[in-house]
mmCIF file of all heavy atoms in Angstrom:
data_model
loop_
_atom_site.group_PDB
_atom_site.id
_atom_site.type_symbol
_atom_site.label_atom_id
_atom_site.label_comp_id
_atom_site.label_asym_id
_atom_site.label_seq_id
_atom_site.Cartn_x
_atom_site.Cartn_y
_atom_site.Cartn_z
ATOM 1 N N ILE A 8 10.126 -4.313 -1.257
ATOM 2 C CA ILE A 8 9.591 -5.223 -2.284
ATOM 3 C C ILE A 8 8.464 -6.068 -1.737
ATOM 4 O O ILE A 8 8.619 -6.741 -0.698
ATOM 5 C CB ILE A 8 10.721 -6.123 -2.796
ATOM 6 C CG1 ILE A 8 11.900 -5.301 -3.319
ATOM 7 C CG2 ILE A 8 10.186 -7.053 -3.856
ATOM 8 C CD1 ILE A 8 13.127 -6.113 -3.638
ATOM 9 N N MET A 11 7.583 -11.290 -2.338
ATOM 10 C CA MET A 11 8.591 -12.349 -2.154
ATOM 11 C C MET A 11 8.076 -13.255 -1.071
ATOM 12 O O MET A 11 7.799 -12.818 0.064
ATOM 13 C CB MET A 11 9.949 -11.749 -1.732
ATOM 14 C CG MET A 11 10.592 -10.945 -2.831
ATOM 15 S SD MET A 11 12.357 -10.577 -2.416
ATOM 16 C CE MET A 11 12.190 -9.587 -0.929
ATOM 17 N N GLY A 15 13.455 -18.910 -3.082
ATOM 18 C CA GLY A 15 13.539 -18.828 -4.555
ATOM 19 C C GLY A 15 13.278 -17.443 -5.056
ATOM 20 O O GLY A 15 13.938 -16.984 -5.977
ATOM 21 N N CYS A 16 12.282 -16.786 -4.439
ATOM 22 C CA CYS A 16 12.010 -15.404 -4.819
ATOM 23 C C CYS A 16 13.215 -14.516 -4.513
ATOM 24 O O CYS A 16 13.523 -13.623 -5.321
ATOM 25 C CB CYS A 16 10.773 -14.892 -4.012
ATOM 26 S SG CYS A 16 9.266 -15.785 -4.299
ATOM 27 N N VAL A 17 13.787 -14.717 -3.363
ATOM 28 C CA VAL A 17 14.973 -13.948 -3.003
ATOM 29 C C VAL A 17 16.097 -14.123 -4.007
ATOM 30 O O VAL A 17 16.729 -13.156 -4.461
ATOM 31 C CB VAL A 17 15.448 -14.308 -1.583
ATOM 32 C CG1 VAL A 17 16.772 -13.639 -1.241
ATOM 33 C CG2 VAL A 17 14.390 -13.923 -0.542
ATOM 34 N N ALA A 18 16.262 -15.385 -4.424
ATOM 35 C CA ALA A 18 17.328 -15.677 -5.410
ATOM 36 C C ALA A 18 16.982 -15.007 -6.751
ATOM 37 O O ALA A 18 17.879 -14.489 -7.428
ATOM 38 C CB ALA A 18 17.438 -17.201 -5.604
ATOM 39 N N SER A 19 15.674 -14.998 -7.086
ATOM 40 C CA SER A 19 15.313 -14.374 -8.367
ATOM 41 C C SER A 19 15.559 -12.894 -8.369
ATOM 42 O O SER A 19 16.134 -12.305 -9.322
ATOM 43 C CB SER A 19 13.784 -14.602 -8.654
ATOM 44 O OG SER A 19 13.526 -15.995 -8.805
ATOM 45 N N VAL A 20 15.176 -12.237 -7.258
ATOM 46 C CA VAL A 20 15.381 -10.803 -7.183
ATOM 47 C C VAL A 20 16.854 -10.463 -7.169
ATOM 48 O O VAL A 20 17.338 -9.526 -7.843
ATOM 49 C CB VAL A 20 14.644 -10.217 -5.899
ATOM 50 C CG1 VAL A 20 15.060 -8.750 -5.711
ATOM 51 C CG2 VAL A 20 13.151 -10.325 -6.049
ATOM 52 N N THR A 21 17.616 -11.280 -6.426
ATOM 53 C CA THR A 21 19.069 -11.055 -6.367
ATOM 54 C C THR A 21 19.663 -11.192 -7.765
ATOM 55 O O THR A 21 20.513 -10.328 -8.175
ATOM 56 C CB THR A 21 19.715 -12.080 -5.428
ATOM 57 O OG1 THR A 21 19.113 -11.973 -4.127
ATOM 58 C CG2 THR A 21 21.218 -11.845 -5.305
ATOM 59 N N ARG A 22 19.232 -12.197 -8.478
ATOM 60 C CA ARG A 22 19.782 -12.462 -9.833
ATOM 61 C C ARG A 22 19.476 -11.348 -10.815
ATOM 62 O O ARG A 22 20.352 -10.868 -11.549
ATOM 63 C CB ARG A 22 19.285 -13.788 -10.334
ATOM 64 C CG ARG A 22 19.980 -14.264 -11.614
ATOM 65 C CD ARG A 22 19.599 -15.698 -11.948
ATOM 66 N NE ARG A 22 18.161 -15.856 -12.041
ATOM 67 C CZ ARG A 22 17.415 -16.610 -11.221
ATOM 68 N NH1 ARG A 22 17.999 -17.289 -10.248
ATOM 69 N NH2 ARG A 22 16.112 -16.714 -11.393
ATOM 70 N N VAL A 23 18.194 -10.848 -10.799
ATOM 71 C CA VAL A 23 17.848 -9.777 -11.727
ATOM 72 C C VAL A 23 18.601 -8.495 -11.413
ATOM 73 O O VAL A 23 19.008 -7.773 -12.303
ATOM 74 C CB VAL A 23 16.349 -9.544 -11.856
ATOM 75 C CG1 VAL A 23 15.662 -10.777 -12.380
ATOM 76 C CG2 VAL A 23 15.708 -9.019 -10.578
ATOM 77 N N LEU A 24 18.736 -8.219 -10.116
ATOM 78 C CA LEU A 24 19.461 -6.992 -9.752
ATOM 79 C C LEU A 24 20.921 -7.047 -10.097
ATOM 80 O O LEU A 24 21.459 -6.139 -10.724
ATOM 81 C CB LEU A 24 19.236 -6.709 -8.241
ATOM 82 C CG LEU A 24 17.882 -6.219 -7.847
ATOM 83 C CD1 LEU A 24 17.732 -6.199 -6.319
ATOM 84 C CD2 LEU A 24 17.548 -4.839 -8.406
ATOM 85 N N THR A 25 21.557 -8.110 -9.726
ATOM 86 C CA THR A 25 23.021 -8.219 -9.925
ATOM 87 C C THR A 25 23.312 -8.426 -11.434
ATOM 88 O O THR A 25 24.424 -8.180 -11.850
ATOM 89 C CB THR A 25 23.672 -9.381 -9.113
ATOM 90 O OG1 THR A 25 23.026 -10.597 -9.433
ATOM 91 C CG2 THR A 25 23.573 -9.057 -7.626
ATOM 92 N N ALA A 33 23.657 -6.812 -4.285
ATOM 93 C CA ALA A 33 22.268 -6.709 -3.801
ATOM 94 C C ALA A 33 22.116 -7.630 -2.635
ATOM 95 O O ALA A 33 22.379 -8.827 -2.714
ATOM 96 C CB ALA A 33 21.327 -7.051 -4.933
ATOM 97 N N VAL A 35 19.315 -9.048 -0.497
ATOM 98 C CA VAL A 35 17.864 -9.174 -0.484
ATOM 99 C C VAL A 35 17.394 -9.926 0.759
ATOM 100 O O VAL A 35 17.923 -11.027 1.054
ATOM 101 C CB VAL A 35 17.382 -9.869 -1.759
ATOM 102 C CG1 VAL A 35 15.839 -9.918 -1.757
ATOM 103 C CG2 VAL A 35 17.885 -9.138 -3.006
ATOM 104 N N ALA A 42 15.362 -4.892 -0.425
ATOM 105 C CA ALA A 42 16.659 -5.106 -1.049
ATOM 106 C C ALA A 42 17.524 -3.866 -0.788
ATOM 107 O O ALA A 42 17.043 -2.740 -0.981
ATOM 108 C CB ALA A 42 16.550 -5.368 -2.541
ATOM 109 N N ILE A 60 12.901 -5.424 -11.125
ATOM 110 C CA ILE A 60 12.223 -6.202 -10.098
ATOM 111 C C ILE A 60 10.793 -6.438 -10.508
ATOM 112 O O ILE A 60 10.251 -7.565 -10.370
ATOM 113 C CB ILE A 60 12.295 -5.446 -8.736
ATOM 114 C CG1 ILE A 60 13.713 -5.395 -8.242
ATOM 115 C CG2 ILE A 60 11.364 -6.114 -7.712
ATOM 116 C CD1 ILE A 60 13.928 -4.458 -7.076
ATOM 117 N N ALA A 63 10.328 -9.017 -13.100
ATOM 118 C CA ALA A 63 10.504 -10.377 -12.546
ATOM 119 C C ALA A 63 9.267 -10.840 -11.730
ATOM 120 O O ALA A 63 9.216 -11.943 -11.247
ATOM 121 C CB ALA A 63 11.758 -10.424 -11.632
ATOM 122 N N PHE A 65 7.558 -8.980 -9.158
ATOM 123 C CA PHE A 65 7.355 -8.449 -7.799
ATOM 124 C C PHE A 65 6.969 -6.999 -7.831
ATOM 125 O O PHE A 65 7.036 -6.349 -8.896
ATOM 126 C CB PHE A 65 8.673 -8.647 -7.017
ATOM 127 C CG PHE A 65 9.097 -10.109 -6.991
ATOM 128 C CD1 PHE A 65 10.031 -10.566 -7.903
ATOM 129 C CD2 PHE A 65 8.536 -10.978 -6.111
ATOM 130 C CE1 PHE A 65 10.403 -11.922 -7.921
ATOM 131 C CE2 PHE A 65 8.902 -12.295 -6.122
ATOM 132 C CZ PHE A 65 9.814 -12.774 -7.017
#
Side-chain angles (χ1 to χ4, degrees):
I8 303 170
M11 294 192 296
C16 299
V17 172
S19 296
V20 171
T21 302
R22 189 170 56 246
V23 298
L24 287 171
T25 57
V35 182
I60 293 168
F65 303 94

